[in-house]
């Protein structure tokens, strides 16, 4: 029997969501239906749809609830319970936040509101004539890191690196002083989009770690290494490509819930750090 493609499996998970909007939904169950880890499914789903898995479920429930409000005589409290809201009050708050009107106002006046329609993924755009970015597959030995850890979101990254800057000349046993490593790990799907960010330096051994810094050891691992070219502000597009297009269409799987960004002399061009179209950063994705 021919194995289902990853795109088909993701769409089957979306179909499961659509069929069960009026029932309790477990994010773990949904990712299991797709045959992926929750971490991987969260990444590819968010890159493909623009919404986290939880956001998508909430928006689709509200969209279907809005139809029930105008096309049936059900009480609003019953509709709220049908779509897994804990109370009419919580449903009203979510509805107003999403559509800028209350359910009662919507039932009476029926203003036009934009609604999220069911997602169906077709994520082969770059394979159909666009530029194809192929990674280099590399085995990399154990990495020892010393740096600043922060639990937050993408917008916090510049501040983490800014805090790390003064420490660079004070870290003992630096292996490659010209290299900065950004170590990102954890599951944003479980933490409201937050994950661990570590701005770090490579060291030969972890001893005499300065106050304010922490250490981490990453075991030897196989990586798909992508090179992002251009200003650092556009690196998100490269991550979207990796998780949305390359990985689902490759024969590889994620090996762990982390990634690394490798900054070296290529990141500074003409005296600018990450602000030149000629800058380069390597993105290391653990694979198996």
């Amino acid at each position: 029997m021919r194995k289902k493609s990853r795109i088909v499996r993701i769409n089957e998970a979306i179909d499961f969501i659509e069929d069960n909007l009026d029932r309790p939904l477990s994010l773990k169950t949904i990712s299991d239906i797709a045959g992926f880890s929750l971490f991987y499914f969260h990444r590819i789903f968010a890159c493909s749809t623009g919404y986290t898995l939880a956001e998508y479920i909430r928006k689709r429930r509200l969209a279907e609830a809005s139809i029930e409000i105008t096309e049936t005589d059900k009480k609003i409290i019953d509709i709220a319970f049908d779509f897994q809201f804990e109370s009419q009050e919580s449903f009203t708050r979510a509805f107003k936040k999403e559509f800028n009107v209350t359910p009662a106002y919507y039932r009476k006046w029926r203003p036009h509101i934009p609604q999220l329609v069911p997602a169906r993924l077709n994520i082969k755009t770059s394979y159909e004539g666009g530029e194809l970015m192929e990674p280099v597959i590399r085995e990399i030995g154990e990495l020892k890191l010393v740096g600043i850890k922060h639990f937050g979101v993408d917008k916090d990254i510049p501040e983490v690196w800014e805090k790390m800057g003064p420490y660079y000349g004070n870290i003992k046993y630096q292996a490659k002083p010209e290299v900065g490593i950004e170590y990102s790990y954890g599951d944003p799907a479980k933490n409201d989009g937050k994950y661990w960010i570590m701005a770090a330096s490579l060291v030969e051994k972890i001893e005499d770690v300065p106050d304010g810094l922490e250490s981490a050891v990453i075991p030897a691992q196989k990586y798909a290494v992508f090179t992002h070219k251009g200003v650092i502000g556009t690196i998100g597009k490269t991550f979207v490509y990796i998780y949305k297009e390359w990985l689902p269409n490759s024969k590889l799987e994620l090996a762990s819930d982390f990634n690394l960004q490798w900054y070296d002399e290529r990141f500074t061009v003409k005296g600018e750090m990450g602000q030149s179209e000629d800058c380069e950063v390597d993105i290391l994705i653990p694979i198996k």
Side-chain angles (χ1 to χ4, degrees):
M1 181 180 293
R2 185 178 179 183
K3 187 176 179 180
K4 293 179 182 178
S5 73
R6 297 181 188 184
I7 297 173
V8 169
R9 288 153 58 195
I10 293 168
N11 279 330
E12 286 180 348
I14 291 173
D15 289 340
F16 176 79
I17 293 171
E18 293 298 324
D19 291 340
N20 292 277
L21 289 172
D22 58 350
R23 299 183 181 93
L25 283 169
S26 161
L27 303 189
K28 178 66 166 57
T29 298
I30 297 168
S31 62
D32 287 344
I33 287 171
F36 303 118
S37 70
L38 181 56
F39 172 81
Y40 172 66
F41 190 66
H42 170 82
R43 284 292 183 94
I44 192 171
F45 190 90
C47 286
S48 301
T49 67
Y51 304 105
T52 67
L53 194 51
E55 285 175 334
Y56 177 82
I57 293 170
R58 177 180 58 78
K59 286 177 176 289
R60 285 293 302 128
R61 280 175 169 161
L62 288 170
E64 292 300 307
S66 72
I67 296 173
E68 294 275 304
I69 288 171
T70 57
E71 296 188 1
T72 74
D73 295 325
K74 283 184 181 179
K75 294 180 179 179
I76 290 176
I77 189 172
D78 292 334
I79 295 173
F81 289 146
D82 285 347
F83 287 97
Q84 305 303 302
F85 288 87
E86 295 180 354
S87 66
Q88 183 171 337
E89 290 75 18
S90 64
F91 173 66
T92 297
R93 285 195 301 271
F95 195 95
K96 187 173 183 180
K97 182 177 180 181
E98 183 72 15
F99 302 126
N100 294 316
V101 296
T102 65
Y105 182 96
Y106 183 64
R107 170 166 277 176
K108 182 176 182 179
W109 299 106
R110 302 191 181 192
H112 172 73
I113 55 176
Q115 299 171 333
L116 180 66
V117 299
R120 296 294 299 175
L121 304 189
N122 177 9
I123 53 179
K124 292 187 176 182
T125 53
S126 290
Y127 289 83
E128 297 172 352
E131 182 180 354
L132 180 63
M133 181 191 302
E134 283 295 337
V136 175
I137 307 301
R138 292 179 58 191
E139 296 275 357
I140 297 178
E142 182 182 79
L143 298 173
K144 298 182 178 69
L145 306 178
V146 170
I148 288 180
K149 286 183 181 179
H150 173 77
F151 187 64
V153 295
D154 290 349
K155 68 180 180 64
D156 300 333
I157 293 173
E159 183 179 350
V160 180
W161 276 107
E162 185 176 350
K163 290 180 178 178
M164 179 61 184
Y167 287 98
Y168 257 87
N170 302 308
I171 299 174
K172 291 187 177 181
Y173 313 114
Q174 280 184 292
K176 295 179 181 292
E178 75 282 2
V179 172
I181 302 291
E182 189 174 306
Y183 174 36
S184 302
Y185 62 96
D187 192 344
K190 297 179 179 178
N191 298 292
D192 296 325
K194 293 182 178 181
Y195 59 96
W196 284 102
I197 303 160
M198 185 177 189
S201 177
L202 285 168
V203 296
E204 296 175 355
K205 57 182 179 179
I206 297 173
E207 293 183 12
D208 302 323
V209 177
D211 291 341
L213 301 187
E214 299 183 59
S215 63
V217 178
I218 303 174
Q221 173 71 56
K222 180 189 291 185
Y223 296 91
V225 182
F226 296 82
T227 299
H228 168 76
K229 297 181 180 181
V231 298
I232 193 63
T234 63
I235 198 169
K237 294 180 180 180
T238 302
F239 274 104
V240 168
Y241 169 81
I242 293 169
Y243 289 110
K244 178 181 176 181
E245 301 189 28
W246 178 80
L247 194 53
N249 289 284
S250 75
K251 296 180 179 179
L252 302 171
E253 299 277 354
L254 285 178
S256 189
D257 64 346
F258 76 88
N259 64 72
L260 302 171
Q261 293 176 47
W262 184 287
Y263 298 89
D264 54 26
E265 65 279 357
R266 295 170 300 152
F267 185 60
T268 301
V269 179
K270 299 177 182 178
E272 297 179 306
M273 296 184 66
Q275 300 306 311
S276 168
E277 292 293 342
D278 297 323
C279 289
E280 296 185 5
V281 177
D282 288 336
I283 299 172
L284 284 64
I285 305 295
I287 56 170
K288 60 184 177 181

